[in-house]
Amino acid sequence: GKVNMGIITNGFTELQRVRLEKTGLKDVFSALIISEQVGVAKPDIGIFEHALAHMGEPQREQVLMVGDNPHSDILGGMNAGLDTCWLNPSSSALPEGIKPNYQVTSLTQLQALLLPA
């Protein structure tokens, strides 16, 4: 309830909707952007532009792209001019040329980053 969240996902519409239903997270996100519907996939900047437009064009400095895939999520967010946070639970090495603004190993760490005391 303290941050506006959306999802950008590569994949097929029906499969992604079923996954969100099963997790109980369907109504948590204000935007659900699925590559099959948009016609481009992460890391293409076009899907990020579509998501920003769908969310009312928030100021980019107020947007944080969080993702678990450094190539599609983090590089895509970087190319779109967004701050990025790599959710890296296995503490993998950063691929060359990919530099997230933040890196966390758990959703608890992400929550602490987003909602500092």
Side-chain angles (χ1 to χ4, degrees):
K2 297 187 182 206
V3 295
N4 190 14
M5 297 187 302
I7 291 180
I8 303 173
T9 182
N10 289 347
F12 299 105
T13 302
E14 191 56 35
L15 177 60
Q16 299 301 344
R17 290 190 191 281
V18 167
R19 284 181 176 168
L20 279 175
E21 285 281 343
K22 286 184 178 181
T23 63
L25 297 174
K26 181 180 154 244
D27 297 324
V28 173
F29 299 94
S30 63
L32 173 57
I33 309 301
I34 302 172
S35 63
E36 181 183 47
Q37 294 176 326
V38 178
V40 292
K42 298 177 292 181
D44 190 294
I45 192 172
I47 198 164
F48 294 91
E49 296 292 343
H50 178 85
L52 292 168
H54 186 75
M55 296 180 82
E57 299 291 348
Q59 295 180 357
R60 288 177 196 246
E61 55 273 4
Q62 294 183 338
V63 175
L64 179 65
M65 173 62 194
V66 178
D68 62 354
N69 185 302
H71 298 283
S72 62
D73 299 326
I74 305 307
L75 184 59
M78 289 169 52
N79 290 340
L82 303 173
D83 281 353
T84 59
C85 179
W86 184 22
L87 176 59
N88 182 9
S90 58
S91 297
S92 299
L94 272 170
E96 191 171 326
I98 298 178
K99 296 182 174 145
N101 299 88
Y102 307 96
Q103 192 171 161
V104 295
T105 59
S106 69
L107 293 177
T108 302
Q109 283 184 344
L110 177 61
Q111 183 180 25
L113 175 69
L114 293 175
L115 303 170

